Amino acid sequence: MKTKDFWYELPPELIAQTPCAQRDGSRLLRLDRASGATEHTMFRSLPDFLRPGDCLVFNDSRVIQARLIGERSGGGTAEILLLKPLADGCWECLAKPGRKLRPGAVVTFGEGLMTAEIVSCGEEGLRTVRLSCEGDFDELLQKLGKTPLPPYIKEELDDPERYQTVFSKNPGSAAAPTAGLHFTPEIFSRLSKIGVKTAFLTLHVGIGTFRPVKEEDISEHKMHTESYCVTPECAETVNSARASGGRIIAVGTTSCRVLESVADEKGFIPACSGETNIFLYPGCRFRAIDGLLTNFHLPESTLIMLVSAFAGKDNVLAAYREAVREKYRFFSFGDAMLIL
């Protein structure tokens, strides 16, 4: 299957630049994965499509202030985007201007409060940097760093918490698990009242989820690894819901990727942690999930390929074309799609 098979036309004005005024005020497109039928509603109506015993699985990772802007040792501005912690104070990152940031170069932040030394250069523009700081690293990162919004969002956020889910807990992501941005305490309360279970795992979102697919044949694309953790409580909730006949519905592609990475042939989810580079595209068999709640994704991205693997490429692209006609809002701050 070719990368170009996942292209669709998107007018730039439909790329959401700011969050909805109210988190649950976004629109919701309901897609029947068997028939391809669609229905238009609002996100706050989500509980109406769920049944007692269903289980929603969320990614509780929290976005860190991963974007650092500083001064190069040779003069000039540099930007470091932290992606994943490594050993001995090192991080995997993106850095620019790349041609100026070779091994040995040093970038200083906050007038010397933190420094980043370029240790090595990897593939696709990745760098390894060694960070040093005066004081507590997490506190300094919160002070010196900025929220790492995707490049298609051109406006600064008035409230950085709008790029965090209300249930975010474990810091470590370079991007938000955006399907969870629509949820509010009120939505959770309604879900609880009708008997819908909720479970929380962690996947720290790195650059791999968003890297463009450059290969013509999608099967040749390689994902970067991302760290995950499935707690005993999460595993117990998911497994008991399945045993009782409930549907397992992943909230976001990140939750889906963890569940499908760890599930056995019967869909059993163990408590575990590790790293995954799973790439789900049409032809893959899903073992863990019965439903998916997700936002609308970039053309030719690994994310639209994952959704197409679950619901069928023709169904998904037809639904996307309909969403364009209906002027849905797309990408991180956009509207949502429920696939059951």
Side-chain angles (χ1 to χ4, degrees), residues 175-187:
T178 54
L181 294 177
H182 307 280
F183 284 83
T184 64
E186 292 75 21
I187 292 283

Side-chain angles (χ1 to χ4, degrees), residues 43 56-59 165 167 176-183 201 203 205 209 248-260 280 286 289 291-297 303 306-307 310 336-339:
F43 188 85
L56 294 177
V57 185
F58 299 84
N59 180 7
T165 63
F167 50 84
T178 54
L181 294 177
H182 307 280
F183 284 83
L201 51 75
L203 180 124
V205 186
T209 300
I248 309 304
I249 301 165
V251 177
T253 56
T254 59
S255 297
C256 170
R257 291 178 65 239
V258 174
L259 292 171
E260 294 299 332
L280 297 167
F286 287 76
I289 70 168
L292 177 65
L293 177 70
T294 186
N295 281 15
F296 292 91
H297 303 294
L303 303 179
L306 182 156
V307 177
F310 183 67
M337 173 187 284
L338 175 65
I339 306 170

Side-chain angles (χ1 to χ4, degrees), residues 238-239 242 248 259-260 262-270 285-289:
V238 174
N239 292 329
R242 181 179 299 282
I248 309 304
L259 292 171
E260 294 299 332
V262 306
D264 69 11
E265 287 298 318
K266 295 182 179 180
F268 177 83
I269 303 298
R285 185 171 70 87
F286 287 76
R287 300 171 296 182
I289 70 168

Side-chain angles (χ1 to χ4, degrees), residues 19 41 43 53 60 65 67 76 79 83 96 101 106 117 149 167 200 207-208 212 220 252 255 287 310 312 321 323-324:
T41 184
F43 188 85
D60 66 8
Q65 300 289 86
R67 183 169 168 246
E79 181 176 325
L83 299 175
K96 59 183 182 182
L101 296 174
V106 175
E117 178 188 359
L149 294 175
F167 50 84
F200 299 86
I207 199 64
E220 297 178 1
S255 297
R287 300 171 296 182
F310 183 67
R321 290 191 292 269
V324 169

Side-chain angles (χ1 to χ4, degrees), residues 67-340:
R67 183 169 168 246
L68 291 163
I69 300 174
E71 298 295 324
R72 289 186 287 113
S73 51
T77 301
E79 181 176 325
I80 303 290
L81 177 62
L82 302 179
L83 299 175
K84 185 170 65 174
L86 306 172
D88 301 322
C90 291
W91 282 73
E92 180 182 79
C93 71
L94 292 173
K96 59 183 182 182
R99 66 186 183 281
K100 299 286 188 179
L101 296 174
R102 312 303 296 177
V106 175
V107 183
T108 302
F109 311 99
E111 299 181 345
L113 291 176
M114 182 181 293
T115 60
E117 178 188 359
I118 310 299
V119 175
S120 64
C121 301
E123 297 179 353
E124 301 182 71
L126 291 172
R127 299 285 192 277
T128 297
V129 302
R130 179 174 290 108
L131 294 179
S132 304
C133 64
E134 298 288 337
D136 182 81
F137 172 76
D138 293 332
E139 290 182 2
L140 275 176
L141 189 63
Q142 187 68 25
K143 176 182 178 181
L144 300 175
K146 296 179 179 294
T147 301
L149 294 175
Y152 50 76
I153 294 178
K154 309 301 182 183
E155 300 185 21
E156 292 288 334
L157 267 182
D158 292 334
D159 178 9
E161 280 299 307
R162 290 304 307 272
Y163 196 56
Q164 306 279 7
T165 63
V166 297
F167 50 84
S168 63
K169 179 181 179 182
N170 296 308
S173 280
T178 54
L181 294 177
H182 307 280
F183 284 83
T184 64
E186 292 75 21
I187 292 283
F188 278 108
S189 177
R190 289 175 57 200
L191 293 171
S192 177
K193 287 179 180 177
I194 64 174
V196 173
K197 299 180 180 180
T198 54
F200 299 86
L201 51 75
T202 303
L203 180 124
H204 292 316
V205 186
I207 199 64
T209 300
F210 305 100
R211 275 291 193 193
V213 179
K214 297 180 179 179
E215 291 77 8
E216 182 180 357
D217 184 339
I218 66 173
S219 66
E220 297 178 1
H221 178 74
K222 304 298 181 186
M223 298 282 286
H224 290 277
T225 59
E226 295 169 315
S227 300
Y228 69 82
C229 177
V230 180
T231 64
E233 293 78 12
C234 175
E236 168 62 25
T237 300
V238 174
N239 292 329
S240 65
R242 181 179 299 282
S244 301
R247 296 174 296 181
I248 309 304
I249 301 165
V251 177
T253 56
T254 59
S255 297
C256 170
R257 291 178 65 239
V258 174
L259 292 171
E260 294 299 332
S261 293
V262 306
D264 69 11
E265 287 298 318
K266 295 182 179 180
F268 177 83
I269 303 298
C272 57
S273 60
E275 293 190 331
T276 181
N277 63 350
I278 191 171
F279 177 25
L280 297 167
Y281 56 90
C284 295
R285 185 171 70 87
F286 287 76
R287 300 171 296 182
I289 70 168
D290 307 295
L292 177 65
L293 177 70
T294 186
N295 281 15
F296 292 91
H297 303 294
L298 277 72
E300 299 184 341
S301 64
T302 62
L303 303 179
I304 195 172
M305 292 172 188
L306 182 156
V307 177
S308 297
F310 183 67
K313 180 173 69 72
D314 292 344
N315 287 346
V316 169
L317 290 178
Y320 270 55
R321 290 191 292 269
E322 185 172 338
V324 169
R325 290 194 299 270
E326 295 294 327
K327 299 189 183 305
Y328 274 64
R329 289 158 46 94
F330 279 66
F331 305 163
S332 293
F333 287 139
D335 296 314
M337 173 187 284
L338 175 65
I339 306 170
L340 288 173

